Amino acid sequence: MRLRSALLALAVLVTTASSTVAPAGATVAATQRSDDLPGIGTVLESGPLDRDLWIPKTTSRALKLTYVTTDAFGHKALSTGTVFLPKGEAPKGGWPVISWAHGTSGIGDACAPSRVGPALPQRDWAYLGTWMKQGYAIVASDYAGLGTPGMHAYLHNRSTAHNVVDMVKAARNLDLPATEKLSNKWVVIGQSQGGGGAVATSSYATEFGGKALDFRGGVGTGAPAYIELLVSLPGPGVPPVDVSPALTEYLAYILAGMRYVHPELHINSALTETGRKFVDMGEHACTNEFEKALEGTAIGDFFTKPLASLPGFVQAARDYLGMPETSFEKPVFMANGAVDTDVPMETTAAYVGVITANGADVTFRTYPTDHNGTMQASLVDSVPFVKALFAG
């Protein structure tokens, strides 16, 4: 209860203070320097995806590819991703495209969805299968560094948006037969980590996608807003108890990502032996095993001093984690569970208030469910929302 009250207070504070072409089967070594990589969206490798990783019952064919995108440093980088083609023949102009932004799976290479599938298969397959049944092709980035050189910058929304947009470019560069062609019309949909990525993509899509892509709008469920404020709160004994293994896991992944992108912060200097152990573990442990390892560990046990006391940390957290508040040219649908303890509704509602005041066309819905349940519960509203986007 204290945690939700603190989050609500932060939400109120924020609301009042914020102003602001490759043939299938082609292979190539994925070890090039960024300066040597070809253009963004270029496919360097493609081939069939392991059939065990297909979206069940709705997929006619699925591919895995490696493509060029942009990382958290603003440099060219590699990402892997998947393309799921629905059953039947593509309509005139090609299959309309959903670029799926996945939720937390981990930041180690072994956690990439194109290697092992989603962290919660039952949840994600049912959800994505609903979209496939509507006649949409689904393309899904693993995100740069997740299964490719470098480390995945967890919750770095600008690079996630690059990865999501560039996945659409890459998929459309595949040499597909006419019956499987992809349209240039697309929307972004994401959950949790990917929900924030989807909302960020909705702001950056036109800038990153250019005139060749026809972006129609986005859907973000369980999108973590204003996490940069929450991340700056912990310190020795704060919070003093295990609030939940999931929240502790998220923080460890964030600190691992920030430590990689911002070595000048010297994050290790604020970590106890316990903190270093778990942040190090976060670099390779996937979400399900990591949550189990963190059971009974309090976030406050991670720190020798407040994170906010590290010179430059607060601003770096804003730059790294902050979601865009302007430049939403297309409609956005956002949803949260009323009893979501991973991403409390209050912070999302505060963010929706800010971007709405800044001119964004946002539809915001809440449902009497938790973080994971929001995906399925929201379909009654998000399916017609997306249908209208493509019809417009």
Side-chain angles (χ1 to χ4, degrees), residues 14 27 40 66 70 122 137 142 171 210 216 220 225 234 245 274 281 289 383 387:
V14 169
T27 59
I40 299 296
T66 301
T70 302
Q122 186 174 4
D142 286 332
R216 296 304 182 95
T274 296
M281 186 184 298
E289 64 171 300
V383 167
K387 184 178 181 179

Side-chain angles (χ1 to χ4, degrees), residues 303-316:
F303 303 106
T304 60
K305 57 185 175 182
L307 279 173
S309 70
L310 293 175
F313 181 87
V314 173
Q315 185 59 51

Side-chain angles (χ1 to χ4, degrees), residues 120-145:
L120 296 173
Q122 186 174 4
R123 182 197 72 173
D124 288 10
W125 287 157
Y127 182 76
L128 294 175
T130 298
W131 294 108
M132 292 278 281
K133 289 174 184 176
Q134 306 301 310
Y136 305 128
I138 293 178
V139 305
S141 175
D142 286 332
Y143 310 141

Side-chain angles (χ1 to χ4, degrees), residues 55-107:
I55 299 172
K57 301 179 181 179
T58 57
T59 305
S60 68
R61 191 160 74 103
L63 301 169
K64 177 179 177 178
L65 52 82
T66 301
Y67 67 100
V68 182
T69 184
T70 302
D71 63 15
F73 301 100
H75 301 151
K76 288 182 183 178
L78 298 180
S79 179
T80 46
T82 47
V83 178
F84 300 94
L85 298 165
K87 295 180 178 180
E89 293 190 1
K92 183 178 180 181
W95 292 114
V97 174
I98 287 174
S99 194
W100 166 245
H102 68 79
T104 301
S105 61
I107 64 175

